Structure formats: structure tokens, C-alpha cells
Amino acid sequence: MEKELIIILDFGGQYAQLIARHIRQQNVYCEVIPYYIEFDKVKAMAPKGLIFTGGALEAAEQDSTASASKFYTLGLPILAIDYRGQLNNSPTPIATIEEPERSLFGQDNSSKENESKAIETLRNFLYNTCGCSGSWHMTTFVDRSIKQLKEKIGNQKVLCALSGGVDSSVAAVMISKAVGKQLTCIFVDHGLLRKNEGDEVEDIFTNQFDVNLIRVNAQERFYNKLAGVTDPERKRKIIGEEFIRVFEEEAKKIGRVDYLVQGTIYPDIIESGAGNSKVIKSHHNVGGLPDYVDFKEIIEPLKDLFKDEVRKAGLVLGIPEKLVNRQPFPGPGLGVRIIGDITADKVKILQEADYIYREEIAKAGLDKQISQYFAVLTNLKSVGVKNNERTYDYTVALRAVKTTDFMTADYVEIPWDILGKISERIVNEVEHVNRICYDITSKPPATIEFE
Ligand code: XMP
């Protein structure tokens, strides 16, 4: 099937990604490209239409106006969404959508009239003016990707660092569907995962997907490296570096591979500057690239997908919903949720408390409404009383936030009775915890994690 493509030329605005998601939701595939891309590249991509957005940064105005006009010669239909440059020298009429925040993305529900008119303009542009057929569906994408991966990889060997997170899991399953056991996944258990998580990952990938999985139980190694370390950034660095070392050691045993899989997704690519949008997010990935793994090329099967699309692809591939809709979990794991130094005992306490918290939130049906929620083991010890005896034990803090982009977040108002039940269960069931606090700070000024 012909791949229908719409190109969004990003002239430096804030809407490029939102527009892209909106268009894909209309089942039309699109990509965000910076306005200064070489003209010939755009031509070679053979898009069916162009969208202009942003622009008119004073210094760049002349430059971008000049860039815009060269695209007119392609003779393609153009839609301007919040485009601020000059349009008056275009040879053909250009459709426009102004104030997309209000009119297209429906932030302001009072302006239904504007909203539907803008959506109509967009649909009309995609389907009538550009002649797109709406063939972008996740099943088609997944099937096509598997076919392309099969052709590209042939009978060569692929290596993947599986974290149990959504992106690496979806990437791994997609590749295993393409080339079966030519793929080897290395899953490093750093001992800072949530309760049972290591076993769950192993179970899914070996029993449900028949992936060649090597689980490295490196808990002791990480705990030894982390002993006595209290500074959050040092903890992150140690965990990240150790992760790479363990991965490299395992990879060496396998020998030369042809491809290394990365779970890079589309926002990572736009944010690292392939698009033109302002870089806001700092990357927190564990690790980075291993230095001593012998491979010839990196393979990134999800590099065209937004996060919600990665989840859809995961469901199409048959990955359990629980894993696909998993809340974000930081690479350094519980390492940044244990304030101060980390010990195996503290990890155990936190795992148990966090498990109860998650269980009760799910039971109350709140898990789908909260973006991220977890327990934190503070390093505060205080006096309590249990069975008529004095205790001197830890305080566990509970956090729950609602956010769309994780750059800002609001704390969630969990009903008191549910919080009360969670508190009661944790102090009764988890040894060495005698006090529970609920965090009622938003981000900013607090961050989502405690460290
Ligand atoms: P903060 O705490 O910065 O968190 O408000 C924002 C989001 O990023 C996640 N986070 C991390 N993810 N490695 C990661 O992979 C990290 O070191 C890290 N620190 C924070 C956090 O869970 C939240 O979703």
C-alpha cells in the first residue's frame, strides 16, 4: 500500500507535535520537519501536502519567509496552522487555521463553533484537498514494520536491552515477531525494581513471547556499588554506569551482533533537535549507549511513534495491557525513591509499601485517573507505638500526581478513606514503618520524584 505522508514544516512554533498527533488521529501519517530542511529532501519524501506552523521569530523571519516560498514550487496543497510568516506570494490559495489551541485542540469548550470549523478545515485539507485515504492504522503500521524489519535484518543477529518499560518491550516484541530467536534480550535486574517486577518481565517474555531472554540478577553488584552513597545525582550516575557495565559483560559473551535495538520514540527525536521545536525536556535515560558492544548498526523500530501510539502498537502485538499501560518508572528505579543511602533491607521495605499502595489504588479504580503514583522511603525515623511497645521506625511518603507532560504536575486529591486504608495496611503489614505522610505539593515547586 502506498504510504501517504503529510509534512509539517516547523517554523519554530509550539504546536508542531500537537498538530502531528491530531493528524495521525485522523488516520493520516505525518512527520514534523524543520523549515530549513533541504528542499530536495522534502521533494524525495513525496508528501501529499504540507502544513506550515510557527515562525516569524524576528531574526529568522526573512530567512524563513524565503524558505517557505521555495516550497510553493512543489505545487502541493498547503495548510497554515498558526503560521506567522508571509503567505501572500503563494501562487495558490492556502487554507488557514488560526489560534489552534482554542479552535483545533479544543482547550476552550465554550467555542464549539470554532472548534468544529477548524477540524472541518483540517479534515477537508487531508481528505479532499490532498486526497489522503486515511490508511494510517496501527495494525497496518505494525504489519508493515515487521515486514520491513524482516527484510532489513535477514538472518543477522540483534541485541536488545530490555528494561521492562513500555518502549523497550514493544520494540523487543516487534523485532522478535520479525526475526524470532535471532533476537537476544538482556534484562538487567538491578535490584531496584518494584515488587515482583523482575519475575513478571521474565514471565511475559519467555512464556508469552518466546524471546531469547537473558536475565542478569545483578542486585548484589548494584547494592555494593551504592553502599553509603546518599547524593541523588551520584546514585543515578552509579546505577547508569553499572547498568552499562553489566550489559556489556553479557553482550561480550554473545559476541558480535549486527544490530543493537534502541527504544527511541518520536518525541525523543523531535526533542533532540531533528524538529525545530524548543528543547525543554532534559533526558533522564539510564545509561546511554554501551561503548564496548560490538554491533554495526542501531535499529530503532519505534522512532516514528508518539507514546500513545507505542502503547497502541503494544496492544496490537499482544503485549498484556498491564505492561502496555504501565505508569512511567524511572530508570534508576527505587534508587531515587529511597532517600539517602540504599540497602537491600530498605529496598524490601519500600517494595512492600509500594505494592500495597498500588494494590489499593487499583482496587479503588483510581489507577487510570492518576498519571504516576508511588511510595517513597524517607530517611526519617520517628517514635511510634505498636502492641504497647515503643517503636522507632521509618516514615513512608505517598505521592500521586496528574500531568500530561510530566514537566508540571498537580497532586491528586485521593479520598481520605482510601488514604486511611492504605496507611493502616502499610503500618500493619510492613515491618519497620510506623508513619505515613501524603505529599500535597505540585510540580513546581516540588518535582514528581523525591530525588
Ligand atoms: P521529576 O522528578 O523530574 O520527574 O519531576 C519527571 C518524570 O521523569 C521521571 N524521572 C526519571 N526517569 N530516569 C528516568 O528514566 C531518572 O533518573 C528520572 N528521574 C525522574 C519521573 O518518574 C517522572 O515521570
Side-chain angles (χ1 to χ4, degrees), residues 174-233:
M174 198 181 258
I175 292 182
S176 89
K177 296 239 170 174
V179 298
K181 296 238 161 156
Q182 283 159 247
L183 167 72
T184 303
C185 292
I186 298 178
F187 168 48
V188 177
D189 186 341
H190 52 25
L192 301 163
L193 297 168
R194 286 168 291 200
K195 185 180 172 182
N196 297 340
E197 201 164 37
D199 294 343
E200 283 168 13
V201 170
E202 185 176 343
D203 175 61
I204 289 173
F205 288 92
T206 50
N207 295 332
Q208 293 190 37
F209 288 112
D210 199 25
V211 162
N212 220 349
L213 181 82
I214 299 173
R215 174 174 177 179
V216 193
N217 288 314
Q219 293 88 335
E220 290 304 319
R221 217 175 133 159
F222 280 86
Y223 297 158
N224 287 339
K225 284 269 171 185
L226 286 164
V229 180
T230 55
D231 177 65
E233 288 312 306

Side-chain angles (χ1 to χ4, degrees), residues 163-166 169 193-194 197 200-201 307 311 320-331 358 371:
S163 67
V166 182
S169 300
L193 297 168
R194 286 168 291 200
E197 201 164 37
E200 283 168 13
V201 170
K307 191 81 186 186
R311 294 190 207 277
E321 206 193 320
K322 191 174 156 212
L323 201 166
V324 166
N325 290 327
R326 206 178 92 135
Q327 55 168 319
F329 185 64
R358 286 186 293 126
S371 313

Side-chain angles (χ1 to χ4, degrees), residues 399-451:
R399 182 94 168 119
V401 294
K402 202 160 170 48
T403 171
T404 46
D405 58 7
F406 296 88
M407 307 298 302
T408 59
D410 293 321
Y411 66 86
V412 177
E413 291 187 32
I414 297 177
W416 283 117
D417 56 335
I418 297 168
L419 278 175
K421 171 102 186 284
I422 295 163
S423 167
E424 196 183 309
R425 274 197 63 195
I426 295 176
V427 288
N428 281 333
E429 294 173 37
V430 185
E431 256 188 273
H432 305 300
V433 178
N434 66 358
R435 200 176 289 272
I436 308 291
C437 292
Y438 185 63
D439 184 350
I440 48 167
T441 348
S442 289
K443 172 185 179 177
T447 51
I448 296 175
E449 302 289 346
F450 272 36
E451 285 199 331

